[in-house]
């Protein structure tokens, strides 16, 4: 239970970075978030990234896929392949990872509401390549709760969505043991207007709700909790960001120990990653906050990410900058890690009181799901987003990543580079692929397995097993989601705020 009074860290509380001075295992991991158009086009881009030295892939999916709609659905018109790759069936996933041995890469899939389906498609393709699920490494974001607060790409109401997430936890524990089943994404709340304290409070409150769901499903907290990760935004100064990480780690360790009885040190010391705002400049800030705050993996965005899926040229600067910071400076050394810890610790004390108070209010509603249904988090974030510009006044901070300095990218005669554009023909090609799939597959077999999905959703059985059978038979992402919609319904925002 979260209390309203901040307390000093007791013995064993991992307030300092997970890897203390002199014990850090090596440079951080880096992933390039990319993908657009068709599976074949994205496969080419992943091959380029691997040639550049990338071993950790991060897949961006388009809006119809993230909303559980097929590319030929009327609601998907105009959006196919535009914010990520379009994946409609196991056939698309097969093309996406053609020539990429899934036993030797770690793949992160940035998707929430239909995360279970994309994971199952990945598993099916790995099995076709001859690899067992026990060798697969990677992560799905699977953070369904932030969708109601920050992004709006939800499908089902919060309670069945949380049940689906818990089914993923159970399934991966039994079938895909090396897979990370959840990444709680506070950085999306920051992008939606949350203050640093709100970002941490609502992120941790969501994490607590997920742990409660996992424990209710019969999972051991010390088996499940180490598989969680959290993503926070690198948006202020490195010192302030380090203080935020310390605050989050301090509170999380206390809750895990006092409410859930966790004893595994990895349950008490959560994995944090950093999302930087800007791909050109965010690598440095993300790396510094990573070291001072204990973030294990800075994830800077492409410098075109706010406008369009990233072209290869836009994807290169961030990982190259991180590699330079990791290998050509002393930032990852003990000296770099320990610098500024005292100041960051004092700042963490200041942030903790506001964070704990917000978490207490969420608990007063009955937890994160109940607070979402009342519109509490959204209301608080909207109030902050409106208040910050008024309070900023003349206290504007110059940031290298926010246009504070000009960097000339090329020579005086180099023409402006056009950002990546996704052709409208992608939608036509995806519709044609779907038409062929439906013509070739055994429709009676598909219908039988979709009926099994409905039965599991209406009962207590884990829905991933019949979902995998349906996808293997040729059912599409949209068809499986429609089967779940029939039982669970869809979410309509409400509440007093």
């Amino acid at each position: 239970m979260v209390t309203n009074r901040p307390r000093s860290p007791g013995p064993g509380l991992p307030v300092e970075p997970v890897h203390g001075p002199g014990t850090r295992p090596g440079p951080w991991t880096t992933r390039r978030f990319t993908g657009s158009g068709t599976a074949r086009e994205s496969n080419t881009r992943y091959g380029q990234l691997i040639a550049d030295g990338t071993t950790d892939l991060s897949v961006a999916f388009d809006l119809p896929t993230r909303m559980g709609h097929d590319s030929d659905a009327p609601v998907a018109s105009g959006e196919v392949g535009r914010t990520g790759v379009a994946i409609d069936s196991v056939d698309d996933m097969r093309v996406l990872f053609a020539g990429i041995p899934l036993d030797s890469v770690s793949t992160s899939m940035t998707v929430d509401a239909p995360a279970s389906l994309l994971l199952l498609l990945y598993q099916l393709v790995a099995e076709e390549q001859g690899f067992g699920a026990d060798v697969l490494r990677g992560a799905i974001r699977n953070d369904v709760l932030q969708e109601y607060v920050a992004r709006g790409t939800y499908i089902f109401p919060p309670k069945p969505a949380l049940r689906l997430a818990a089914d993923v936890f159970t399934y991966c524990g039994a079938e895909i043991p090396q897979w990370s089943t959840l990444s709680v994404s506070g950085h999306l709340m920051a992008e939606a207007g949350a203050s640093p304290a709100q970002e941490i409070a609502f992120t941790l409150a969501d994490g607590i709700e997920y742990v409660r769901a996992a424990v209710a499903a019969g999972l051991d907290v010390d088996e499940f909790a180490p598989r969680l990760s959290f993503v926070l935004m690198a948006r202020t100064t490195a010192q302030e960001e380090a203080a935020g990480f310390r605050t989050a780690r301090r509170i999380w360790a206390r809750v895990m120990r006092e409410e859930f009885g966790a004893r595994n040190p990895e349950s008490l010391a959560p994995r944090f990653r950093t999302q930087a705002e800007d791909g050109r400049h965010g690598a440095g800030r993300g790396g510094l906050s990573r070291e001072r705050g204990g973030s294990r993996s800075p994830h800077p965005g492409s410098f075109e990410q706010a406008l369009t899926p990233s072209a290869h040229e836009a994807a290169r600067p961030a990982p190259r900058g991180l590699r330079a910071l990791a290998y050509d400076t002393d930032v990852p050394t003990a000296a770099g890690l320990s610098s500024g810890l005292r100041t960051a610790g004092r700042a963490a004390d200041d942030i903790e009181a506001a964070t704990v108070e917000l978490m207490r209010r969420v608990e007063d509603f009955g937890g994160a799901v109940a607070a979402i249904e009342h519109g509490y988090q959204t209301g608080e974030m909207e109030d902050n987003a409106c208040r910050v510009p008024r309070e900023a006044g003349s206290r504007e901070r110059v940031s290298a990543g926010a246009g504070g300095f000009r960097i000339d990218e090329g020579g005086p005669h180099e023409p402006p580079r056009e950002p990546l554009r996704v052709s409208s023909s992608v939608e036509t090609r995806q519709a044609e692929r779907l038409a062929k799939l439906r013509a070739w597959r055994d429709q009676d077999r598909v219908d039988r397995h979709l009926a099994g999905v409905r039965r599991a959703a209406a009962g207590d059985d884990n829905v991933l097993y019949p979902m995998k059978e349906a996808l293997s038979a040729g059912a599409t992402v949209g068809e499986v989601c429609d089967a779940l919609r029939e039982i669970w319904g869809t979410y309509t925002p409400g509440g007093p705020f």
Side-chain angles (χ1 to χ4, degrees):
M1 177 65 67
V2 179
T3 59
N4 193 31
R5 181 173 61 87
R7 285 173 285 174
S8 59
L13 273 178
V15 176
E16 302 306 328
V18 176
H19 301 292
T23 65
R24 197 180 164 287
W28 49 74
T29 63
T30 60
R31 297 182 188 270
R32 178 64 259 136
F33 178 64
T34 188
S36 63
T38 66
R40 191 172 304 280
E41 292 164 345
S42 294
N43 173 263
T44 300
R45 193 162 297 114
Y46 296 150
Q48 292 171 332
L49 291 173
I50 290 173
D52 280 349
T54 298
T55 58
D56 303 273
L57 301 176
S58 181
V59 183
F61 296 97
D62 71 355
L63 185 59
T65 303
R66 287 187 281 119
M67 297 291 290
H69 296 296
D70 289 332
S71 295
D72 60 354
V75 72
S77 179
E79 295 293 340
V80 177
R82 294 198 177 276
T83 59
V85 61
I87 297 295
D88 292 311
S89 70
V90 68
D91 187 43
D92 288 328
M93 190 67 85
R94 192 178 291 127
V95 173
L96 183 65
F97 289 102
I100 299 176
L102 299 187
D103 64 331
S104 60
V105 299
S106 173
T107 303
S108 172
M109 293 186 279
T110 303
V111 63
D112 297 303
S116 54
L117 282 82
L118 278 304
L119 173 61
L120 293 171
L121 292 175
Y122 189 86
Q123 182 185 1
L124 287 170
V125 171
E127 291 172 351
E128 291 179 359
Q129 292 187 1
F131 305 123
D134 59 319
V135 304
L136 299 182
R137 295 179 299 109
I140 45 175
R141 192 164 68 190
N142 199 28
D143 184 7
V144 293
L145 296 182
Q146 61 79 22
E147 294 286 359
Y148 308 100
V149 177
R151 303 243 311 168
T153 50
Y154 40 73
I155 300 176
F156 316 111
K159 290 179 181 177
L162 187 61
R163 177 256 174 102
L164 180 58
D167 281 355
V168 173
F169 305 156
T170 304
Y171 181 87
C172 286
E175 306 291 340
I176 317 179
Q178 296 192 67
W179 202 266
S180 295
T181 52
L182 176 65
S183 179
V184 191
S185 301
H187 71 289
L188 296 175
M189 300 185 199
E191 292 173 353
S195 69
Q198 289 172 345
E199 178 190 8
I200 297 167
F202 299 153
T203 299
L204 295 184
D206 285 354
I208 291 169
E209 195 85 333
Y210 290 122
V211 175
R212 288 171 178 163
V215 171
L219 297 180
D220 182 273
V221 65
D222 281 326
E223 291 293 327
F224 168 75
R227 297 158 68 99
L228 288 171
S229 64
F230 298 82
V231 189
L232 298 178
M233 176 65 81
R235 53 176 164 162
T236 56
T237 67
Q239 200 78 289
E240 291 169 340
E241 289 155 11
F245 281 115
R246 293 190 187 323
T247 295
R249 184 172 292 110
R250 188 181 289 177
I251 296 172
W252 183 256
R254 189 161 66 233
V255 171
M256 292 301 294
R257 188 168 60 183
E258 295 180 1
E259 178 174 343
F260 299 105
R263 293 294 179 266
N264 186 341
E266 293 188 6
S267 300
L268 304 177
R271 294 175 296 165
F272 283 97
R273 296 183 286 119
T274 309
Q275 179 72 33
E277 293 175 307
D278 183 301
R280 279 196 177 103
H281 313 287
R285 290 173 50 219
L288 288 173
S289 63
R290 181 259 180 259
E291 286 307 319
R292 292 191 172 186
S295 167
R296 297 189 180 187
S297 178
H299 286 196
S302 156
F303 61 74
E304 293 177 346
Q305 189 165 310
L307 301 175
T308 181
S310 56
H312 188 50
E313 295 83 356
R316 280 179 166 172
R320 286 180 173 178
L322 285 171
R323 285 197 294 269
L325 195 65
Y327 294 101
D328 299 337
T329 74
D330 65 352
V331 167
T333 66
L337 179 62
S338 60
S339 64
L341 293 184
R342 187 182 302 276
T343 304
R346 288 196 299 265
D349 291 338
D350 296 336
I351 294 174
E352 184 173 358
T355 301
V356 169
E357 173 61 20
L358 287 165
M359 294 179 70
R360 184 190 63 77
R361 292 177 188 171
V362 171
E363 286 294 305
D364 288 344
F365 282 101
V369 169
I372 287 169
E373 292 174 337
H374 282 79
Y376 171 67
Q377 296 97 319
T378 301
E380 289 291 304
M381 289 162 49
E382 288 175 351
D383 287 346
N384 181 72
C386 293
R387 182 174 61 251
V388 168
R390 294 197 304 267
E391 294 179 349
S394 60
R395 296 182 290 105
E396 184 174 346
R397 182 175 63 87
V398 175
S399 169
F405 300 92
R406 177 180 176 181
I407 297 180
D408 293 324
E409 297 296 333
H413 303 296
E414 182 177 332
R417 200 182 65 79
E418 286 295 320
L420 177 67
R421 305 294 183 188
V422 176
S423 170
S424 59
S425 66
V426 169
E427 189 169 327
T428 302
R429 283 179 281 162
Q430 283 298 111
E432 291 172 351
R433 288 173 63 82
L434 282 166
K436 291 179 181 178
L437 172 71
R438 294 187 178 112
W440 293 342
R441 69 188 184 182
D442 183 341
Q443 189 61 46
D444 289 339
R445 182 182 172 214
V446 171
D447 291 340
R448 287 197 304 272
H449 289 303
L450 288 176
V453 172
R454 295 186 191 93
R455 286 194 298 272
D460 298 325
D461 292 341
N462 191 308
V463 296
L464 268 73
Y465 291 96
M467 282 167 52
K468 183 184 177 187
E469 294 298 323
L471 293 168
S472 178
T476 66
V477 170
E479 289 168 342
V480 175
C481 285
D482 285 344
L484 296 175
R485 287 184 182 99
E486 290 181 30
I487 305 301
W488 292 341
T490 56
Y491 177 67
T492 300
F497 291 91

